[in-house]
Amino acid sequence: MEKELKIHNIKNASMAQRAVVILLQSVIYAVIFFFIYRVFPNTMLTSLELIPVGIISWYWGNLAGMLVILLDMTATTLIISYCSPTVPEPFFSFQPIMGILIHVCFGLVIGTFSSLTSKLKIENANRKEAQEQLKEYQNRLEDIVHKRTQELQSANDRLRQAEKMEAIGQLAGGIAHDFNNQLTIVLGYCELLSNILSNNARLLEYVQKIACSGKRAADLTKQLLAFARKGVYKQKVVDIHGIILEVTSLLFRSIHKNITIETHLDASKPYVWGGATQLQNAVLNLSLNARDAMEHGGRLLFETADVIVNEEFCRGKNVRLTPGTYVSISVKDTGCGMNGEMLKHIFEPFFTTKEDGKGTGMGLAAVYGIVKSHQGNIIVESSPSVGSSFTLFLPQSNKPEVRETKVLKSIKNYRGHSVLIIDDERDVAKTIGEMLGDCGFDTTLCYSGNEAIELYLNKWKEYSVAIIDMVMPDMDGRETYLKLKEINPSIKTIISSGFALNGDIETTLKAGSNAFLQKPYSQQELILQIDRILQKRNMPVSVQDS
């Protein structure tokens, strides 16, 4: 490296420096030639001049070489003339001229070769530099392509997973809706039978067991609806810290003593806009899963934090969220953990890692649906024998509200009041009619919106309340309600559906409908809503807590 640096410095010397060097070498050459020629007076010694000519021509080119030849030949001629004044051969004779030509040709050849060599070296250096840059660009491009390919693969995986979950959600929501219609029939007749069989303890016990199983089935359909995100329950500002404290209070009384519960609630604004019961169920489901994963004890940790979500955060976490401020809720355990294959399916309905009979496979599916319905997302990290971490990200809110209270009234006799029941499920409509008839109501059943409108057009004054199913073919509940309202602007109605409170139902309530009941509902819940309407205390929410 030092040698190359010296050569580089020599080649890049200034004109003044070159002139000084050429003159200095000519003087040195003249002195050396003078002493040698005095000892060996032979004209062949002029060949010594080729040494400095070659060196100068190599480093500085033809022009510098010609100048050296001129100076050195002049010095040589003068020295020979001085030392051998009796030499008869004139300066312009054949031999001196041939000597000069040989020197000139030698200098030109060396200078040209040096110039070509330098150009070749420069070209090689440039080519090498270009190759290195090209290789660097290639490596950089390969890194970018690899990174973009990974991002695309990740995006495709997320899209496929989202499409799969959406398809499963639609299927689950449809099943839950239809199942709720059937449960309305089962639980409704159980309640009617209970009233009739109050004096027969044995048969009453059978009916109560049927009703108990039906209610458990109803709870399962609620989880299916939560997963399917078929609407959002009654919403308000929810204190996440309060939810977590409620869950931990419940766990302290029921969890095994070898499991330690810790809370690190660091969120400065632990408020989100959503359904309190839904969010509590989500945290509780995660907690129970964590408990079940720690059969031999461990540590259950609840954490909250304020999170600012931007594009960089989403890329780093590989998650989809709208930019903004969020509350993160983490539930961590030191249990058995899960492998990668399990993680691919944990949010699918009825998928469970527990033993047969120990889990329905709906807990995490419901959590997924609840989080998505609140415009949030969930990240799962887990390793076998290490534990699992579930982190929920929910949009932050700044509007704390005072919790509403509800007052239940007793059931009484309602003879003289007529109710119009509109439901495309004939058995459901008949069940509702039986439940109301048991309390003294006169009921009329219609199995479509068009049938109800045609009937109501002539007899609207006879009906105190209309119960309208939200999901019907041809004309849905909202459209039916609006048509009925055109006939009687002061109509009193209850919207009923196997789905949870959703956008269409909320729109109908805002348009003037008095209440909403989610199927399956009890006779008492139905009568309570009708009583409130008759007493002119409109309650545009379901009796069931959101």
Side-chain angles (χ1 to χ4, degrees), residues 59-351:
Y59 284 111
W60 291 339
N62 293 331
L63 184 60
M66 294 303 102
L67 182 58
V68 171
I69 291 173
L70 177 62
L71 293 174
D72 289 358
M73 288 299 293
T74 301
T76 300
T77 302
L78 293 174
I79 291 170
I80 293 175
S81 299
Y82 175 77
C83 295
S84 303
T86 59
V87 175
E89 193 170 357
F91 180 79
F92 294 104
S93 63
F94 176 77
Q95 187 173 353
I97 291 176
M98 285 299 297
I100 293 172
L101 289 175
I102 291 172
H103 285 65
V104 170
C105 289
F106 178 77
L108 289 174
V109 169
I110 295 297
T112 302
F113 184 72
S114 173
S115 178
L116 293 175
T117 303
S118 298
K119 289 181 180 179
L120 184 60
K121 287 182 177 180
I122 292 173
E123 290 179 359
N124 286 337
N126 291 338
R127 187 179 295 110
K128 185 177 180 181
E129 183 180 358
Q131 288 175 344
E132 290 177 353
Q133 289 181 349
L134 183 61
K135 187 175 180 180
E136 182 181 352
Y137 293 149
Q138 183 180 0
N139 293 336
R140 194 179 302 171
L141 181 61
E142 288 177 353
D143 290 340
I144 293 173
V145 170
H146 179 68
K147 183 179 179 181
R148 292 293 183 267
T149 302
Q150 287 184 325
E151 291 178 353
L152 181 60
Q153 182 66 38
S154 177
N156 287 335
D157 291 342
R158 288 199 304 268
L159 179 61
R160 283 194 294 269
Q161 181 69 9
E163 289 175 344
K164 181 178 72 173
M165 299 298 280
E166 185 67 25
I168 296 174
Q170 291 177 357
L171 177 63
I175 292 172
H177 172 267
D178 293 341
F179 199 50
N180 275 339
N181 278 332
Q182 304 308 311
L183 287 174
T184 301
I185 299 170
V186 173
L187 294 176
Y189 280 112
C190 281
E191 199 164 6
L192 293 173
L193 283 173
S194 296
N195 295 335
I196 297 172
L197 301 173
S198 58
N199 296 323
N200 191 326
R202 183 182 177 189
L203 293 180
L204 182 61
E205 182 182 358
Y206 293 162
V207 172
Q208 288 175 344
K209 286 184 177 179
I210 295 172
C212 183
S213 296
K215 289 177 181 178
R216 283 200 295 268
D219 291 336
L220 181 60
T221 60
K222 285 182 180 179
Q223 289 183 314
L224 275 171
L225 288 171
F227 166 75
R229 289 175 280 160
K230 291 297 181 180
V232 179
Y233 291 82
K234 188 183 74 171
Q235 294 194 356
K236 60 182 180 180
V237 173
V238 181
D239 184 352
I240 294 300
H241 287 176
I243 293 290
I244 293 175
L245 293 176
E246 288 177 8
V247 171
T248 54
S249 176
L250 176 64
L251 291 174
F252 274 123
R253 295 192 296 268
S254 60
I255 206 166
H256 199 278
K257 299 301 181 182
N258 61 1
I259 296 177
T260 303
I261 300 176
E262 298 181 17
T263 56
H264 296 162
L265 309 181
D266 299 325
S268 61
K269 294 181 180 179
Y271 304 109
V272 300
W273 180 257
T277 301
Q278 277 190 305
L279 293 172
Q280 186 181 52
N281 286 340
V283 176
L284 183 59
N285 276 328
L286 294 177
S287 305
L288 296 178
N289 278 351
R291 177 202 65 186
D292 295 341
M294 296 185 287
E295 293 183 356
H296 305 293
R299 176 171 170 260
L300 176 56
L301 174 63
F302 296 87
E303 293 179 332
T304 65
D306 300 312
V307 178
I308 298 177
V309 172
N310 51 31
E311 292 183 3
E312 183 179 353
F313 177 88
C314 292
R315 283 196 300 269
K317 296 291 186 179
N318 193 24
V319 68
R320 275 186 173 183
L321 285 170
T322 303
T325 57
Y326 286 73
V327 178
S328 69
I329 309 161
S330 298
V331 180
K332 302 178 180 180
D333 66 71
T334 57
C336 57
M338 295 174 286
N339 58 35
E341 188 62 28
M342 291 179 180
L343 290 174
K344 293 179 181 179
H345 304 285
I346 56 172
F347 295 123
E348 296 177 6
F350 307 113
F351 176 82

Side-chain angles (χ1 to χ4, degrees), residues 18-31 71-72:
R18 293 184 183 187
V20 171
V21 171
I22 290 172
L23 288 174
L24 184 60
Q25 71 82 28
S26 295
V27 172
I28 295 173
Y29 166 77
V31 171
L71 293 174
D72 289 358

Side-chain angles (χ1 to χ4, degrees), residues 51-63:
I51 297 174
V53 170
I55 295 173
I56 297 299
S57 297
W58 178 264
Y59 284 111
W60 291 339
N62 293 331
L63 184 60

